[in-house]
């Protein structure tokens, strides 16, 4: 029996389908899918099923000094025991094994981990390696027809990264968290790539904060020829005899404006026409794909997650690549012919097939591991993909089209005219040849019409305008521009950069998009800069990346690089150890600043957003335990303190981040006072305790700002039904015969029509019946399929599922994430 091992279950399913001609059977073994046909078995891992960690004696944060981790031993332990056990059981019976993980540094390491697990169970079976850049029938069959060996140097480079990241991350995270007395779920996370990336964001924010705007003025007027008006801008020659549009002196601006107001006409002094060639873009590498997806509104992590799914389904090539030159064996005409079968692309394909020859553009980077990202000949239909998946699939297809298309041609017309002493200029552009814009509509092809005029011609002047402006601070990094900057500095890799940004969001270091650093982020970077600047040094991180590349190329060993990294970390701790108290105090104050709302009405100390042991958020006094003043916060979402302040109480308002259900809660004290002043409105008997104890249902407003229909005997009876947070609730005279409750109508200013909620019990039952897995934030169509394959097909299944078991069965999903979905389902 031949055992085939892939990186993920969906890759195993597709490869089994290709190699078996659709004849593979599936059995579940230990909660893991195993595909079998013709003497072959195929199993998918869940990425890394073996992880690196410190021995158990180093696990207690308080008993082990963080500096000790710099030279602590590192061990390997299974992280997905069910998969590891099934793999070993299959390997014991195998006559041979084939590693078919992704072909990059990370995939080679995962392959090596699988290799070692096979060897633990079977010393004799030969093990080979197959590599492909797309999971299509042609590439997969070609790869299996010509297997190779594992690249142990490439795997060692990935393993070195694992070890270095573990040691740096764990040691520095423990040091900062313990210094700030911030342990548990809210520890302060630090990482080898994460910290220099955070410094980039913080440095940009410092530039913005230090920016001192300057006033300037710009002037415009309309010029008209034969009834056709076009806009022209005032300009002058500065001290360096170059054209300038910004007028820095208000008096000069007013004088120029007076000239334009008095001028009835302007004489054309020069007309210049030129034609410019607009070349098609280069093929997609990872960074440029993320940039293009970002222009469509996709964050880096989301874009790469979708690209991974499209690759595994066989629709695009491997999405982690630096290459921008198509390989010689790619036949564009053949691929175009295949893509013509998709009617959404048929017209574009026809345009390209009319060209005399198909010559693709070439970028600056040519590598031999993977081609640029492009579509394969395996076509999905729109119904196969979600809207997001189709949008990014189309982006990849059309980028491929663009690289084969001809350049666009633009005609530029520049007109300069004089209105008395004031110079005016207008720039028009017209698209002469659409070129690649016809098949790639993501770059602007807007035209600006300026009519044909001749030198000496007189044009009417009208509608002069003087606009006061200010210079603007530098823009924050968008996610795609941040990734480009990381790439230029050698920070991280194409496979890790988007994950680094996601970690910064997850740990509360950045918020919003474009990312903005929190006060905690500023404090961590400030502490590192003052006491150990190597922690945030991109040069040091880039040097380590270069060392890992040297391992992959056989020029250095894993042991040499990891030992050098341990010595650097030891030097950092020598600097940090002397300033532990100062660092801790600095971080503690910054942590409070991000959570501070304002003065406590009882004692004057700071009110802070806090988290209970059960995980819920509330507002508590910093004077605790002497002062026990608290305010509730909504149970939905994660609170963020806003800059806006309540005029009555002097407290900052709070926003609850809850994905699509994000909302502004406002001032927590206002919400509590409004709830206290709002009388309950009884609407009928409680179905739980009305007969036995006389309980009644009432419309109630809670101090957290939520509204519900709840029993008047609370807390003895906890029966309740949710109500919308917004809108006036009208109790109608119509009654529900089944529950003897009046029907409700919600009048919301934001909606044109009132919402006929009806009987609150009937409404809630209908709502629960309608809800499915895809109503839970974070569960898309692909994740829903994976959950279904693991036996979780409904919300009820999700509520009752064991989070750890689901995480073991569904690749890419953690137990913590499952528990979060369960909380939302409840």
């Amino acid at each position: 029996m031949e055992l085939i091992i892939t990186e993920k279950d969906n890759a195993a399913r597709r490869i089994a389908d290709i190699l078996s001609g659709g004849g593979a059977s599936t059995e579940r073994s230990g909660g893991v899918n195993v595909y079998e046909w013709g003497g072959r078995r195929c199993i998918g891992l869940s990425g890394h099923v073996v992880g690196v960690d410190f021995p158990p004696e180093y696990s207690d944060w308080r008993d082990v000094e963080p500096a000790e981790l710099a030279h602590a031993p590192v061990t390997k332990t299974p992280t997905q025991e069910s998969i590891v056990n099934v793999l070993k059981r299959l390997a014991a019976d195998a006559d041979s094994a084939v590693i078919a993980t992704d072909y990059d540094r990370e995939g080679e390491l995962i392959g090596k981990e699988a290799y070692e697990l096979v060897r633990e169970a079977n010393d004799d079976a030969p093990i080979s390696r197959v590599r492909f850049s797309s999971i299509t029938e042609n590439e997969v069959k070609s790869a299996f027809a010509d297997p190779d060996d594992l690249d142990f140097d490439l795997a060692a480079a990935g393993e070195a990264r694992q070890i270095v990241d573990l040691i740096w991350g764990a040691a520095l995270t423990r040091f900062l968290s313990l210094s700030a007395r911030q342990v548990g779920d809210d520890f302060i996370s630090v990482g080898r790539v994460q910290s220099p990336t955070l410094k980039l964001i913080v440095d940009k924010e410092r530039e913005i904060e230090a920016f001192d705007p300057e006033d300037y003025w710009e002037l415009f007027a309309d010029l008209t020829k034969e009834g056709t008006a076009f806009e022209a801008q005032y300009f002058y020659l500065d001290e360096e005899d170059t054209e300038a549009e910004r007028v820095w002196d208000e008096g000069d601006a007013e004088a120029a404006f007076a000239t334009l107001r008095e001028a009835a006409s302007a004489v054309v002094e020069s007309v210049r026409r030129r034609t410019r060639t607009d070349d098609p873009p280069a093929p997609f590498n990872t960074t440029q794909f993320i940039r293009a997806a970002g222009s469509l509104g996709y964050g880096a992590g989301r874009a790469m997650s979708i690209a991974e799914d499209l690759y595994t389904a066989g629709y695009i090539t491997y999405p982690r690549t630096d290459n921008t030159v198509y390989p010689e064996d790619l036949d564009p005409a053949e691929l175009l012919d295949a893509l013509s079968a998709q009617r959404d692309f048929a017209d574009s394909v026809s345009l390209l097939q009319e060209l005399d020859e198909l010559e693709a553009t070439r970028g600056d980077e040519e590598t031999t591991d993977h081609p640029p990202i492009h579509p394969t000949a395996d076509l999905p239909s729109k119904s196969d993909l979600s809207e997001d998946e189709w949008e990014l699939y189309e982006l990849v297809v059309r980028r491929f089209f663009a690289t084969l298309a001809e350049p666009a041609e633009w005609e530029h017309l520049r007109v300069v005219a004089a209105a008395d002493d004031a110079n005016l200029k207008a720039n028009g552009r017209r698209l002469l040849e659409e070129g690649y814009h016809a098949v790639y509509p993501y770059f602007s092809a807007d035209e600006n019409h300026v009519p044909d005029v001749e030198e000496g011609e007189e044009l009417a002047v009208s509608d002069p305008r003087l606009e006061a402006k200010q210079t603007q601070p530098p823009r924050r990094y968008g996610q795609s521009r941040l990734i480009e900057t990381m790439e230029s500095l050698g920070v991280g890799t194409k496979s890790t950069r988007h994950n680094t940004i996601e970690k910064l969001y997850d740990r509360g270091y950045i918020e919003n998009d474009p990312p903005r650093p929190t006060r905690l982020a500023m404090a961590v970077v400030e502490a590192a800069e003052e006491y150990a600047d190597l922690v945030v040094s991109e040069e040091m991180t880039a040097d380590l990346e270069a060392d890992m590349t040297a391992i992959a190329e056989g020029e250095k060993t894993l042991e040499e690089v990891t030992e050098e990294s341990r010595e650097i970390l030891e030097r950092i701790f020598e600097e940090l150890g002397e300033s532990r108290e100062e660092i801790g105090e600095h971080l503690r104050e910054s942590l409070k600043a991000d959570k501070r709302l304002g003065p406590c009405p009882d004692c004057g100390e700071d009110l802070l957003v806090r988290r209970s042991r059960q995980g819920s958020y509330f507002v508590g006094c910093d004077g605790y335990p002497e002062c026990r003043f608290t305010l509730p916060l909504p149970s939905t979402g994660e609170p963020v303190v806003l800059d806006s302040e309540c005029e009555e109480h002097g407290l900052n308002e709070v926003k609850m981040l809850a994905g699509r259900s994000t909302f502004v809660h406002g001032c927590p004290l206002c919400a509590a006072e409004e709830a206290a002043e709002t009388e309950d409105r009884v609407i009928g008997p409680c179905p739980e305790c009305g007969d036995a104890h006389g309980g009644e249902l009432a419309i109630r407003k809670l101090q957290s700002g939520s509204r519900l229909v709840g029993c008047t005997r609370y807390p003895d009876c906890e029966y309740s039904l949710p109500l919308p947070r917004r809108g006036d609730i009208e109790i109608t005279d119509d009654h529900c015969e089944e529950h003897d409750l009046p029907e409700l109508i919600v009048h919301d200013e934001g909606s044109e029509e009132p919402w006929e909620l009806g009987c609150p019990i009937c409404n809630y039952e209908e709502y629960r019946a309608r809800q499915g897995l895809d109503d839970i934030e974070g569960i898309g169509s692909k994740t829903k399929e994976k959950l279904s394959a693991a036996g979780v097909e409904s919300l009820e299944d999700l509520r009752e599922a064991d989070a750890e078991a689901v995480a073991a069965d569904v690749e890419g999903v953690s137990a913590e994430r499952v528990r979060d979905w369960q909380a939302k389902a409840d």
Side-chain angles (χ1 to χ4, degrees):
M1 185 268 294
E2 180 182 73
L3 175 62
I4 300 169
I5 305 161
T6 72
E7 193 159 321
K8 298 174 183 176
D9 174 66
N10 48 6
R13 183 168 60 247
R14 178 154 179 80
I15 287 173
D17 189 57
I18 290 170
L19 295 179
S20 69
S25 62
T26 307
E27 67 175 46
R28 295 279 286 178
S29 176
V32 181
N33 289 330
V34 178
Y35 306 93
E36 185 171 3
W37 72 99
R40 283 173 156 174
R41 288 179 178 174
C42 186
I43 179 177
L45 307 177
S46 180
H48 292 285
V49 294
V50 174
V52 294
D53 206 346
F54 299 110
E57 58 265 29
Y58 291 87
S59 61
D60 193 319
W61 285 34
R62 299 193 182 278
D63 286 349
V64 178
E65 276 296 316
E68 293 180 49
L69 298 180
H71 289 286
V74 172
T75 60
K76 290 184 180 182
T77 54
T79 56
Q80 302 271 0
E81 289 195 13
S82 58
I83 296 177
V84 168
N85 291 337
V86 173
L87 175 59
K88 284 184 174 181
R89 189 161 61 248
L90 294 174
D93 296 333
D95 300 313
S96 63
V98 181
I99 307 295
T101 50
D102 292 344
Y103 179 34
D104 61 7
R105 190 178 295 177
E106 205 71 15
E108 208 71 14
L109 175 57
I110 293 169
K112 183 193 173 206
E113 292 164 359
Y115 177 99
E116 291 170 343
L117 291 170
V118 170
R119 276 286 167 262
E120 286 180 29
N122 188 330
D123 283 333
D124 301 323
I127 303 174
S128 58
R129 170 75 158 113
V130 295
R131 299 181 176 89
F132 38 79
S133 292
S134 63
I135 309 182
T136 59
E137 182 172 352
N138 181 52
E139 280 219 40
V140 169
K141 287 185 174 179
S142 296
F144 275 85
D146 186 24
D148 200 351
D149 295 322
L150 265 172
D151 186 338
F152 287 96
D153 287 337
L154 186 62
E159 190 171 354
R161 178 188 304 283
Q162 269 192 335
I163 294 170
V164 170
D165 286 352
L166 167 71
I167 296 169
W168 277 68
L172 292 171
T173 292
R174 290 193 193 185
F175 177 85
L176 292 183
S177 300
L178 290 168
S179 299
R181 298 197 286 275
Q182 189 78 12
V183 293
D185 290 338
D186 294 325
F187 63 86
I188 298 174
S189 173
V190 184
R192 181 184 62 83
V193 177
Q194 178 181 309
S195 299
T197 303
L198 187 59
K199 186 177 186 306
L200 288 173
I201 299 170
V202 168
D203 283 346
K204 183 64 69 177
E205 197 67 22
R206 288 166 173 167
E207 288 181 44
I208 294 170
E209 291 176 353
F211 183 80
D212 186 13
E214 293 184 68
D215 295 326
Y216 68 93
W217 291 261
E218 289 184 334
L219 296 95
F220 303 87
D222 288 345
L223 299 178
T224 303
K225 176 184 178 177
E226 298 175 355
T228 301
F230 57 98
E231 185 179 73
Q233 183 171 15
Y234 168 80
F235 74 95
Y236 62 96
L237 298 179
D238 61 17
E239 295 176 354
E240 298 177 358
D241 208 31
T242 58
E243 287 184 8
E245 296 87 20
R246 294 181 176 184
V247 182
W248 300 99
D249 181 84
E250 187 174 9
D252 292 344
E254 291 287 358
F257 186 47
T259 300
L260 289 176
R261 279 187 304 182
E262 294 169 4
S265 63
V267 177
V268 176
E269 293 192 335
S270 69
V271 178
R272 189 177 71 192
R273 288 182 178 83
R274 63 185 177 91
T275 302
R276 185 177 68 83
T277 299
D278 177 9
D279 290 326
F284 268 150
N285 62 10
T286 300
T287 300
Q288 291 307 309
F289 166 74
I290 288 173
R291 181 180 185 179
S295 70
L296 298 178
Y298 293 88
R302 176 70 177 145
M304 287 305 294
S305 175
I306 291 174
E308 285 279 355
D309 287 342
L310 292 173
Y311 157 72
T312 306
Y315 301 139
I316 68 171
T317 56
Y318 194 56
R320 304 180 193 278
T321 177
D322 293 322
N323 201 351
T324 55
V325 179
Y326 293 132
E328 291 183 3
D329 60 358
L330 176 67
D331 186 339
E334 186 178 310
L335 185 50
L336 282 178
D337 190 53
L339 292 167
S340 69
Q342 171 54 257
R343 64 183 181 183
D344 293 82
F345 305 136
D347 290 344
S348 296
V349 170
S350 294
L351 287 174
L352 294 171
Q353 289 175 333
E354 291 172 3
L355 299 177
D356 293 334
E357 64 175 325
L358 293 172
E359 184 174 349
T361 58
R362 298 171 62 90
D364 296 331
E365 188 74 24
E366 184 172 11
T367 62
T368 57
D369 52 354
H370 292 288
I373 305 168
H374 66 76
T376 70
D378 290 3
L379 305 187
S381 66
K382 273 192 174 180
S383 60
D384 293 330
L385 305 177
S386 68
E387 287 186 15
D388 289 353
E389 289 167 338
W390 177 263
E391 188 170 29
L392 291 190
Y393 173 68
E394 183 173 8
L395 174 67
V396 171
V397 172
R398 293 198 171 279
R399 183 62 163 232
F400 172 68
F401 290 164
T403 63
L404 302 176
E406 292 187 325
E409 293 287 338
W410 292 89
E411 180 187 65
H412 290 259
L413 174 62
R414 171 185 161 88
V415 174
V416 175
D420 294 333
D421 293 331
N423 294 319
L424 294 167
K425 63 178 178 180
N427 292 298
R429 73 172 195 163
R430 185 163 60 96
L431 191 57
L432 300 177
E433 295 291 341
E434 200 172 8
Y436 75 90
H437 290 288
V439 296
Y440 192 72
Y442 305 100
F443 290 168
S444 173
D446 294 339
E447 298 180 319
N448 182 36
H449 179 66
V450 172
D452 286 332
V453 297
E454 296 180 1
E455 290 184 15
E457 190 171 348
E458 192 170 298
L459 306 173
V461 176
S462 62
D463 192 21
R465 302 178 292 282
L466 174 63
E467 298 181 5
K469 299 183 177 182
Q470 283 190 325
T471 54
Q472 297 299 305
R475 291 182 301 138
R476 293 188 177 94
Y477 290 113
Q479 291 189 36
S480 57
R481 195 157 66 94
L482 179 58
I483 285 174
E484 287 183 273
T485 304
M486 293 168 70
E487 182 180 39
S488 68
L489 296 172
V491 174
T493 69
K494 59 182 179 291
S495 300
T496 62
R497 292 182 187 113
H498 65 281
N499 289 327
T500 298
I501 296 172
E502 291 295 310
K503 286 179 183 177
L504 294 178
Y505 276 113
D506 291 343
R507 296 310 310 162
Y509 284 134
I510 56 178
E511 58 192 12
N512 303 332
D513 192 14
R516 174 183 177 181
T518 60
R519 292 185 182 93
L520 172 61
M522 304 288 278
V524 168
V525 171
E526 287 164 4
E529 287 175 328
E530 184 169 353
Y531 303 109
D533 60 356
L534 275 175
V535 173
V536 290
S537 165
E538 72 264 11
E539 291 89 351
M540 184 276 298
T541 299
D543 287 344
L544 280 171
E545 295 290 354
D547 284 343
M548 291 170 197
T549 299
I551 295 174
E553 294 173 353
E555 297 171 1
K556 284 192 174 184
T557 66
L558 178 150
E559 291 74 19
E560 289 171 346
V561 171
T562 54
E563 186 55 37
E564 179 183 346
S565 178
R566 289 176 185 270
E567 290 170 1
I568 294 172
L569 186 58
E570 187 176 35
R571 293 200 301 272
I572 288 173
F573 271 109
E574 290 172 2
E575 299 175 11
L576 288 173
E578 301 171 1
S579 310
R580 188 166 192 161
E581 286 303 315
E582 295 96 316
I583 294 171
E585 180 62 28
H586 184 58
L587 293 174
R588 284 193 294 274
E589 284 304 309
S590 297
L591 283 165
K592 282 185 182 179
D594 264 341
K595 300 173 182 176
R596 186 178 291 119
L597 294 173
C600 172
D602 282 3
C603 72
E605 291 284 339
D606 287 327
L607 288 182
L608 305 172
V609 172
R610 295 191 181 280
R611 196 171 190 178
S612 71
R613 292 178 180 175
Q614 291 73 36
S616 60
Y617 293 97
F618 67 98
V619 174
C621 183
D622 199 30
Y624 179 87
E626 287 76 16
C627 178
R628 294 179 176 268
F629 181 85
T630 62
L631 292 169
L633 287 173
S635 58
T636 301
E638 182 178 343
V640 172
V641 179
L642 303 176
D643 293 332
S644 51
E645 189 176 288
C646 171
E647 294 182 4
E648 183 178 353
H649 301 112
L651 299 182
N652 289 83
E653 296 186 341
V654 175
K655 182 177 185 179
M656 303 300 296
L657 300 180
R660 288 173 289 187
S661 303
T662 292
F663 61 93
V664 175
H665 174 59
C667 168
L669 189 49
C670 283
E673 290 179 351
E674 183 181 346
E677 294 166 3
T678 303
E679 292 187 7
D680 293 350
R681 293 191 284 168
V682 175
I683 61 171
C686 172
E688 291 283 335
C689 70
D691 292 340
H693 302 286
E696 294 180 297
L697 291 185
I699 297 174
R700 306 178 61 197
K701 189 171 183 65
L702 306 183
Q703 288 190 348
S704 65
S706 300
R707 295 187 299 189
L708 53 78
V709 171
C711 184
T712 53
R713 294 186 59 249
Y714 178 84
D716 293 322
C717 176
E718 295 186 349
Y719 183 86
S720 67
L721 301 165
L723 286 173
R725 293 183 62 87
R726 299 188 312 177
D728 296 328
I729 298 176
E730 175 189 349
I731 303 174
T732 71
D733 293 330
D734 296 327
H735 269 64
C736 169
E737 294 182 3
E738 182 180 355
H739 302 110
D740 193 25
L741 293 177
E743 296 186 357
L744 308 179
I745 295 178
V746 181
H747 299 274
D748 186 356
E749 291 181 3
S751 302
E752 294 181 4
E753 298 291 332
W755 176 16
E756 296 183 2
L757 187 71
C759 165
I761 296 179
C762 290
N763 178 271
Y764 186 62
E765 289 175 350
E766 291 170 6
Y767 166 74
R768 289 291 292 262
R770 284 196 312 269
Q771 269 198 314
L773 291 175
D774 43 13
D775 288 303
I776 302 295
E777 178 72 21
I779 299 182
S781 59
K782 291 293 184 183
T783 306
K784 183 179 177 182
E785 287 179 16
K786 296 174 186 176
L787 289 170
S788 179
V792 179
E793 298 182 342
S794 66
L795 287 181
E796 195 60 36
D797 292 339
L798 179 62
R799 294 185 191 102
E800 296 177 357
D802 179 272
E804 299 289 345
V806 172
D809 283 354
V810 181
E811 60 91 10
V813 172
S814 66
E816 182 180 354
R817 195 174 178 193
V818 175
R819 283 190 281 270
D820 179 54
W821 290 339
Q822 289 174 326
K824 291 175 180 176
D826 289 334

